[in-house]
Amino acid sequence: MRKKGQFRISENMIVIFFVVFLLLILFIGFVEYNSYSVKKKAFELKYNEIEQLLSIIPVMPEFGCSLLGVVDEACMDTSKFNYGFSEGYFGDGLVIKVEEVLLTGREWTLYDNKADDYDDVYKLSSFVSLYYPGDKYYGVGLLRLEWYQ
């Protein structure tokens, strides 16, 4: 009788061990899934933010074509490109450049705060109208945002 009781106790301990082991594996899988889900959602939100920034920059007062503060055309004034944004204005991991695509191929860096360590680089771009006030002519440019994550 004593051996039969010890065998039952050993059998119950093994079953309990496997149940705890399975619960631990399920818990780890749940945590990993939630972690991935949170990272994915954070990426989507940041991507949307960068996408909105791409449409906002050409009409910002810092770069937009204006006469006495009144924006009269949807273009970017190249004479304002020399000032750019101060460091930390948009946070870490972002580079904003404008490149003229038709004539000279000239490139301006409006903001450069590239992250020191990054895994991926995401690039978004859009065509913009460039205005050269000194020469009083318009050109075509490419506004590029590079996002380092």
Side-chain angles (χ1 to χ4, degrees):
M1 201 61 141
R2 188 171 180 142
K3 286 189 176 197
K4 202 172 192 179
Q6 285 179 342
F7 179 72
R8 290 259 185 216
I9 290 175
S10 298
E11 188 178 76
N12 286 341
M13 287 181 61
I14 290 172
V15 169
I16 289 173
F17 173 76
F18 280 118
V19 168
V20 169
F21 183 72
L22 287 174
L23 287 175
L24 184 64
I25 288 176
L26 288 173
F27 179 73
I28 291 172
F30 176 74
V31 168
E32 287 295 320
Y33 174 75
N34 277 347
S35 173
Y36 172 75
S37 175
V38 167
K39 287 178 185 176
K40 183 178 176 185
K41 192 64 166 175
F43 172 79
E44 288 174 6
L45 291 173
K46 186 68 174 177
Y47 186 85
N48 288 341
E49 179 184 329
I50 298 296
E51 209 171 43
Q52 289 175 356
L53 188 62
L54 186 65
S55 64
I56 290 172
I57 289 176
V59 295
M60 289 178 80
E62 290 90 341
F63 301 113
C65 296
S66 61
L67 180 62
L68 299 174
V70 177
V71 176
D72 55 350
E73 298 177 30
C75 63
M76 295 183 75
D77 190 343
T78 58
S79 66
K80 298 177 182 179
F81 288 169
N82 296 330
Y83 304 108
F85 294 103
S86 61
E87 189 174 330
Y89 190 82
F90 292 113
D92 288 337
L94 186 65
V95 176
I96 302 172
K97 294 181 181 181
V98 176
E99 178 184 0
E100 185 183 31
V101 292
L102 289 181
L103 300 174
T104 63
R106 188 172 174 196
E107 184 174 281
W108 296 271
T109 301
L110 305 180
Y111 184 76
D112 188 359
N113 200 3
K114 191 185 324 184
D116 294 333
D117 56 334
Y118 57 90
D119 297 327
D120 294 321
V121 178
Y122 302 96
K123 297 180 181 181
L124 291 172
S125 59
S126 175
F127 287 103
V128 293
S129 174
L130 300 177
Y131 177 65
Y132 295 88
D135 302 329
K136 297 194 189 296
Y137 81 90
Y138 290 87
V140 177
L142 186 66
L143 176 63
R144 290 183 304 178
L145 276 71
E146 298 173 3
W147 167 36
Y148 296 85
Q149 187 178 25

